């Protein structure tokens, strides 16, 4: 064994030196230090600390622990003294690492630069996946993106080099697939500036989506705060088979819990059915848990994870996880706040939508439902891939369906696109023939990036306003999400169902029972797809796309031009003046669903993610104004003229007038997009009052010095009218758990008072008083120095 250990050490040294990576599994002696990643050979997994913290907390609580609790509490800053109560107390945590995608990394790194710190305190990475627009195909689109986004990519690369952050170049792949392949491991706590960070739960980690300001806290070495999550258990029995897939598990759960049913909770999957799901299938399920508002989702460590770790060159991590397995599974007899049971043997293929990811239908029913509801049944485009479903197994199952159609002389009736999840997946499916099969059936292979899933799609086959249907293997299907067309009816399902429906060209096709007609005129039925979960050969790593940060980046220059239209250094937000917020105008009272897509649109606006003033021109342009039922049209209370929301906000700011937003249920659902919090703060907003908030958005608002408040009585939403003025009183005595009063002043001179709740703790109140969490961080640094 000694020579092999030496070889492994040499290979690891070569990797650390920047030589092109290969997936070679090093063999290490038991209890030796095991690196968290091939790319950080001097950063080690610390299961001993996890074990120590778990034992402290278990003794304190004197009860069995869920897996979620073990990993969360195992990362407590002070496990001996931390107050722990599910759903109530705030935990101070020490995550192991940070990951940022390029659209959010710009603002995160700008905030880190503003902090004045010389280097990140934990392993961190930047992933260039959001700025590549799908247009002509992978190679052409990537070249175009590198040219258009050169300024941003240069900023991120140089900032990464200066502050010790690993940089994955454009073309590397989607952040969550890269994390699964290289960084996630059983028991890790990782925070990422993207709402689908929970994808890493497929490898048994607690991976949580956050805003950039949260990431800055962790990168600065400050304990990160999270409200102690509840734990929803999903017990899986039976076994997946036939056309049913891991995607159908989360589509079913979304139908049960709805888009806000997981808010404030971790979804923990357990039970005998878990072992019938591949590791990448578990990642799919965890990934889309973001669509039910969950803090994150997780599976227990098992043989399927071990197999994946070994295949991706991390057998040493699997061996270490085997030793500590008792801490990577739930305790017997642990209690969940809610339990859902799903029999996988009875689970049917599902398709969810349109316009919301929790509108669940069995595939067998969707055609009839669509006809009844007046949804277009003809499918214009089928799209497979995305961070949710772009694994080797996903591509293999889709290719298995496509191969059957080709054997009968058929191609897709619908347009068909394929998005590989990473350069490694792209290279491997090219080598193994899957990509060519998907091309032969009519598919276009796009770049290794997010593409149409996040609205980066230069769609040409329809006009805006044209009613049409698309089916995807993505995660979200909000209005206008994929192509900026509000009349596109988007449905989410598994890649193999997308492929089958694209071949048939209609929602009325059920591959389990219906027949297709081959080129020879004979009818045939598609067989349920079967494919390997992992390649028989080793993964092909493809092109080397990783930039190691230098050991000393202090001499690195990070350039931000003062005339740039894409990057802008940040100015500190103003500090609270110590007074109540009086006579605020209402910028908009929002009617119905208001996601982060409505508050800060993506698509063409992604190019301004590093320029706060420019991107603020999209503030709330997608939200529906209850006063007139229109988007991006609000009354200016000072001029009485109707105009765009951002223009009105800028006018109020110019006139020195504070303003508020009134929202409905689950306000801020969707992405981790902290721009949806930065923009209202930048344009003079002070308060957001809603019936309820999505978790990430509520935290983002607090981080930027805004007041996210909820109606003590949700019916009070109806008492406020767009023409009213609002005063928030009691801020001098602002304290955790203490409601605030809101005085509503109507135009006729009458007044009424309602009560507003909040979830601020003491440190979050300090964020508000300082003007933002970043301002507070600077204050603390000045005091300590």
């Amino acid at each position: 064994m000694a020579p092999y250990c030496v070889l492994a050490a040499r290979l690891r040294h070569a990797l650390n030196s920047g030589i092109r990576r290969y997936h070679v599994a090093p063999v290490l002696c038991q209890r030796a230090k095991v690196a968290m990643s091939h790319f950080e050979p001097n950063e080690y997994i610390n299961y001993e600390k996890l074990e120590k913290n778990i034992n402290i907390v278990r003794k304190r609580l004197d009860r069995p622990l869920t897996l979620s609790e073990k990993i969360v509490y195992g990362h407590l800053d002070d496990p001996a003294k931390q107050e722990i109560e599910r759903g109530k107390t705030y935990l101070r945590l020490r995550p192991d690492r940070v990951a940022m995608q390029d659209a959010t990394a710009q603002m995160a790194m700008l905030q880190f630069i503003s902090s004045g710190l010389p280097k990140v305190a934990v392993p961190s990475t930047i992933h260039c996946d959001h700025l590549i627009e799908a247009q002509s195909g992978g190679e052409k689109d990537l070249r175009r993106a590198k040219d258009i986004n050169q300024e941003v990519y240069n900023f991120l690369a140089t900032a990464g080099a200066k502050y010790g952050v690993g940089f994955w170049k454009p073309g590397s792949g989607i952040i969550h697939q890269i994390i699964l392949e290289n960084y996630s491991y059983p028991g890790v706590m990782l925070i990422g500036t993207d709402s689908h960070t929970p994808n890493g739960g497929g490898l048994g980690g607690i991976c949580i989506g956050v805003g950039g300001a949260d990431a800055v806290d962790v990168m600065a070495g400050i304990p990160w705060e999270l409200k102690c999550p509840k734990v929803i258990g999903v017990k899986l029995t039976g076994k997946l088979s036939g056309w049913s897939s891991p995607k159908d598990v989360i589509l079913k759960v979304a139908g049960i819990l709805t888009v806000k049913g997981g808010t404030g909770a971790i979804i923990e999957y357990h039970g005998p059915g878990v072992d019938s799901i591949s590791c990448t299938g578990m990642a799919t399920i965890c990934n889309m848990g973001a669509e039910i508002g969950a803090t994150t989702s997780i599976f227990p460590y098992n043989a399927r994870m071990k197999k994946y770790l070994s295949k991706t060159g991390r057998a040493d991590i699997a061996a270490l996880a085997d030793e500590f397995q008792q801490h990577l599974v739930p305790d017997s007899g642990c209690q969940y706040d809610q339990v859902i049971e799903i029999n996988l043997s009875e689970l049917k293929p599902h398709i969810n939508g349109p316009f919301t990811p929790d509108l669940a239908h069995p595939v067998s029913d969707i055609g009839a439902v669509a006809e009844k509801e007046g949804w277009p049944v003809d499918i214009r485009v089928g799209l497979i891939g995305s961070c949710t479903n772009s694994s080797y197994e996903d591509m293999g199952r889709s290719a298995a369906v496509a191969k059957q159609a080709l054997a009968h002389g058929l191609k897709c009736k619908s347009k068909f696109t394929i998005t590989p999840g990473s350069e490694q997946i792209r290279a491997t499916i090219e080598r193994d023939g899957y990509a060519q099969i998907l091309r032969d059936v009519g598919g276009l292979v796009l770049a290794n990036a997010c593409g149409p899933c996040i609205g980066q799609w230069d769609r040409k086959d329809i006009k805006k306003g044209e009613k049409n249907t698309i089916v995807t293997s993505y995660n979200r299907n909000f209005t206008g999400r994929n192509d900026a067309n509000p009349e596109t009816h988007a449905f989410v399902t598994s890649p193999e169902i997308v492929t089958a429906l694209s071949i048939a060209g209609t929602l009325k096709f059920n591959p389990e029972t219906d027949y297709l007609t081959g080129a020879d005129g004979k009818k045939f039925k598609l067989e349920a797809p079967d494919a390997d979960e992992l390649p028989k050969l080793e993964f092909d790593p493809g092109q080397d796309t990783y930039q190691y940060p230098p050991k000393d980046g202090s001499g690195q220059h990070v350039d931000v031009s003062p005339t740039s239209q894409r990057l802008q250094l940040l100015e500190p937000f103003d500090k609270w003046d110590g007074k109540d917020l009086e006579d605020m105008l209402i910028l908009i009272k929002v009617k119905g669903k208001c996601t982060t897509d409505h508050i800060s649109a993506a698509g063409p606006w992604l190019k301004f993610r590093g320029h706060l003033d420019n991107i603020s021109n999209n503030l709330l342009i997608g939200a529906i104004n209850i006063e007139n039922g229109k988007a991006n049209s609000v009354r200016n209370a000072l001029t009485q003229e109707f105009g765009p929301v951002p223009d009105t906000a800028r006018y109020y700011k110019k006139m020195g007038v504070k303003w508020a937003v009134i929202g409905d249920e689950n306000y801020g659902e969707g992405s981790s997009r902290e721009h949806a919090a930065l923009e209202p703060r930048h344009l003079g907003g002070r308060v957001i009052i809603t019936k309820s908030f999505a978790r990430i958005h509520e935290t983002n608002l607090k981080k930027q010095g805004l007041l996210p408040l909820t109606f003590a009585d949700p019916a009070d939403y109806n008492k406020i009218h767009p023409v009213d003025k609002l005063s928030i009183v009691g801020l001098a005595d602002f304290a955790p758990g203490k409601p605030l009063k809101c005085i509503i002043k109507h135009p006729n001179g009458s007044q009424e008072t309602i009560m507003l709740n909040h979830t601020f703790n003491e440190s979050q109140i300090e964020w508000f008083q300082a003007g933002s969490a970043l301002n507070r961080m600077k204050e603390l640094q000045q005091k300590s120095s």
Side-chain angles (χ1 to χ4, degrees):
M1 181 176 290
Y4 190 60
C5 286
V6 171
L7 174 62
R10 287 174 178 170
L11 283 168
R12 181 170 290 178
H13 175 73
L15 289 166
N16 190 37
S17 301
I19 296 175
R20 184 176 183 273
R21 65 190 173 100
Y22 292 89
H23 292 296
V24 177
V27 176
L28 301 174
C29 300
Q30 288 190 343
R31 293 291 178 179
K33 291 181 177 179
V34 174
M36 295 168 65
S37 166
H38 291 313
F39 299 101
E40 295 142 359
N42 298 316
E43 299 285 349
Y44 303 110
I45 295 173
N46 195 345
Y47 280 150
E48 287 83 359
K49 182 178 179 181
L50 184 78
E51 181 178 56
K52 179 181 177 181
N53 286 4
I54 290 170
N55 289 337
I56 291 170
V57 174
R58 183 186 283 111
K59 185 176 180 180
R60 286 183 56 201
L61 299 182
D62 193 26
R63 61 171 174 80
L65 300 177
T66 66
L67 171 60
S68 307
E69 291 180 304
K70 286 182 178 182
I71 302 177
V72 172
Y73 304 160
H75 286 82
L76 286 170
D77 183 50
D78 187 354
K81 297 179 181 178
Q82 171 70 60
E83 187 180 357
I84 299 171
E85 187 175 357
R86 285 186 195 170
K88 292 189 177 180
T89 57
Y90 277 86
L91 307 178
R92 291 167 61 83
L93 300 163
R94 293 284 185 177
D96 298 300
R97 65 179 309 117
V98 171
M100 299 167 280
Q101 42 96 332
D102 50 356
T104 51
Q106 295 171 65
M107 195 56 66
M109 293 309 295
L110 286 165
Q111 289 178 89
F112 189 82
I113 291 170
S114 294
S115 75
L117 295 168
K119 190 174 182 179
V120 295
V122 301
S124 304
T125 50
I126 294 169
H127 304 258
C128 295
D129 62 358
H130 271 56
L131 301 178
I132 303 169
E133 184 179 50
Q135 190 179 72
S136 306
E139 291 184 12
K140 290 182 179 178
D141 293 346
L142 181 57
R143 284 199 301 270
R144 181 169 172 266
K146 287 179 178 179
D147 180 52
I148 292 172
N149 302 308
Q150 182 180 9
E151 178 186 17
V152 172
Y153 292 148
N154 179 65
F155 165 73
L156 293 174
T158 54
K162 184 173 183 64
Y163 297 105
V165 179
F167 180 70
W168 288 85
K169 302 172 187 177
S172 302
I174 305 173
I175 177 173
H176 312 302
Q177 183 68 27
I178 297 292
I179 288 172
L180 199 72
E181 292 171 355
N182 299 284
Y183 296 115
S184 185
Y185 60 83
V188 70
M189 174 172 275
L190 178 153
I191 70 164
T193 60
D194 189 278
S195 57
H196 293 102
T197 301
N199 191 81
L203 259 177
I206 288 290
C207 303
I208 301 176
V210 299
D214 277 338
V216 171
D217 279 355
V218 180
M219 291 191 292
I222 296 172
W224 174 61
E225 290 192 350
L226 175 73
K227 182 179 275 191
C228 187
K230 295 182 179 180
V231 187
I232 298 174
V234 178
K235 183 178 181 181
L236 302 179
T237 60
K239 184 178 181 180
L240 284 175
S241 62
W243 284 92
S244 296
S245 71
K247 186 66 165 281
D248 298 308
V249 176
I250 186 57
L251 294 175
K252 177 73 173 178
V253 171
I256 295 169
L257 288 176
T258 77
V259 291
K260 66 172 187 174
T263 303
I266 293 175
I267 313 297
E268 183 172 313
Y269 293 86
H270 63 284
V274 166
D275 293 335
S276 76
I277 304 173
S278 66
C279 177
T280 52
M282 289 186 261
T284 291
I285 294 167
C286 291
N287 176 296
M288 201 175 155
E291 272 38 84
I292 55 177
T295 301
T296 191
S297 301
I298 191 170
F299 278 82
Y301 177 63
N302 67 0
R304 306 297 280 269
M305 295 183 192
K306 181 176 182 178
K307 184 177 180 181
Y308 183 80
L309 284 167
S310 297
K311 201 68 174 181
T312 51
R314 295 175 287 172
D316 51 349
I317 294 178
L320 191 66
D322 284 344
E323 293 184 52
F324 288 87
Q325 185 166 8
Q326 62 174 320
H327 303 302
L328 306 174
V329 296
D331 286 342
S332 177
C334 66
Q335 297 296 308
Y336 297 100
D337 294 282
Q338 179 183 350
V339 176
I340 297 168
E341 187 164 336
I342 296 176
N343 185 339
L344 300 179
S345 300
E346 298 174 355
L347 183 64
K348 290 293 185 181
H350 273 62
I351 183 167
N352 288 21
F355 306 125
T356 184
D358 60 347
L359 186 57
H361 321 271
V363 171
S364 57
D365 296 346
I366 189 61
V369 173
E371 286 191 323
K372 179 183 177 184
E373 297 292 337
W375 304 332
V377 296
D378 292 336
I379 299 168
R380 297 294 290 269
V381 190
L383 307 99
I384 66 169
S386 83
C387 64
T388 314
N389 277 111
S390 56
S391 68
Y392 184 83
E393 180 182 35
D394 289 329
M395 296 297 166
R397 284 173 69 87
S398 294
V401 175
K403 194 172 182 180
Q404 294 178 61
L406 290 168
H408 290 85
L410 294 186
K411 290 190 175 184
C412 291
K413 288 185 178 179
S414 310
K415 290 182 180 293
F416 186 49
T417 70
I418 302 97
T419 304
S422 68
E423 170 61 9
Q424 177 169 275
I425 293 296
R426 184 208 62 78
T428 306
I429 65 172
E430 288 286 2
R431 180 197 69 192
D432 294 351
Y434 290 167
Q436 191 57 49
I437 291 170
L438 295 170
R439 286 192 193 96
D440 289 345
V441 83
L444 173 67
V445 179
L446 301 174
N448 315 321
C450 299
C453 183
I454 60 163
Q456 285 283 51
W457 184 17
D458 185 21
R459 188 178 181 189
K460 301 292 189 183
D461 64 300
I462 61 160
K463 296 179 180 178
K464 190 168 183 178
E466 183 179 344
K467 197 172 180 180
N468 75 103
T469 283
I470 64 173
V471 293
T472 82
S473 69
Y474 302 163
N475 40 54
R476 291 197 176 125
N477 55 352
F478 303 147
T479 301
R481 167 83 178 183
N482 304 120
D483 60 4
N485 178 17
E487 289 301 323
T488 293
H489 293 57
F491 296 84
V492 292
T493 185
S494 67
E496 52 265 49
I497 293 294
V498 171
T499 308
L501 293 178
S502 299
I503 293 165
T506 175
L507 287 176
K508 296 172 72 174
F509 179 69
N510 177 10
E512 288 191 304
T513 58
D514 295 344
Y515 287 79
L516 295 168
T517 302
D520 58 3
K522 296 181 180 179
K523 292 187 178 296
F524 72 98
K525 193 171 150 216
L526 293 171
E527 298 295 327
D530 186 31
D532 294 330
E533 65 180 281
L534 295 165
K536 290 184 172 64
L537 302 174
E538 295 302 312
F539 275 109
D540 184 339
Q543 299 179 43
D544 181 18
T545 55
Y546 180 71
Q547 172 187 294
Y548 286 86
K551 290 183 179 179
D552 181 5
S554 58
Q556 180 71 51
H557 178 66
V558 181
D559 185 31
V560 178
S561 168
T563 61
S564 172
Q565 294 301 302
R566 297 198 60 177
L567 297 166
Q568 180 186 48
L569 292 174
L570 297 174
E571 295 291 334
F573 288 132
D574 58 296
K575 191 172 181 177
W576 176 56
D577 61 9
K579 300 176 182 179
D580 288 336
L581 297 169
E582 296 183 346
D583 292 333
M584 290 181 295
L585 299 180
I586 296 172
L587 178 65
I588 183 173
K589 181 178 179 181
V590 178
K591 178 182 178 182
K593 184 187 281 282
C594 191
T595 71
T596 48
D597 282 2
H598 294 89
I599 304 168
S600 175
W605 292 95
L606 284 169
K607 61 179 173 285
F608 297 126
R609 286 287 182 86
H611 197 294
L612 179 54
D613 194 57
N614 281 347
I615 200 170
S616 293
N617 288 321
N618 75 3
L619 174 65
L620 286 158
I621 62 176
I624 302 301
N625 179 10
I626 200 169
E627 186 174 7
N628 57 12
K630 296 180 180 180
N632 202 26
S633 176
V634 295
R635 183 195 300 273
N636 184 320
L638 301 180
T639 67
Q640 296 305 308
E641 296 177 355
F642 279 85
V645 182
D647 293 357
T648 307
R650 287 186 185 278
Y651 186 85
Y652 291 163
K653 181 180 181 180
K654 178 182 176 181
M655 302 304 292
V657 176
K658 298 180 176 66
W659 51 263
V661 171
I662 309 301
D664 210 315
E665 293 278 7
N666 206 34
Y667 184 88
E669 169 193 345
S671 170
S672 66
R673 203 168 302 160
E674 73 174 340
H675 296 77
L678 283 160
E679 291 174 34
R681 183 72 166 95
H682 174 64
L683 295 184
R686 285 295 182 266
V687 180
I688 314 292
I689 306 172
T690 72
K691 293 180 182 177
S692 63
F693 286 97
R695 175 191 64 85
I696 299 177
H697 186 60
E698 181 180 21
T699 301
N700 286 346
L701 291 168
K702 293 177 182 178
K703 286 278 184 177
Q704 303 307 333
L706 282 146
L707 281 175
L709 306 173
T710 56
F711 297 103
D713 179 358
D716 287 344
Y717 169 86
N718 299 316
K719 293 181 178 179
I720 297 178
H721 305 288
V723 293
D724 294 336
K725 291 183 178 180
L726 305 178
S727 295
I728 306 299
V729 299
L731 290 176
D733 299 317
F734 194 17
K738 185 176 180 180
L740 293 168
K741 289 182 180 180
C742 176
I743 299 173
I744 307 169
K745 297 180 180 179
H746 302 299
N748 63 7
S750 64
Q751 296 185 11
E752 54 187 315
T753 300
I754 62 174
M755 301 304 295
L756 300 174
N757 293 330
H758 64 87
T759 60
F760 281 80
N761 63 17
E762 289 180 0
S763 62
Q764 293 168 352
I765 290 173
E766 291 176 355
W767 300 344
F768 168 73
Q769 292 170 339
S772 71
L774 186 58
N775 288 359
R776 181 56 178 161
M777 179 195 299
K778 291 180 180 178
E779 288 180 355
L780 294 173
Q781 287 175 355
Q782 290 169 356
K783 288 180 180 179
S784 64
S785 62

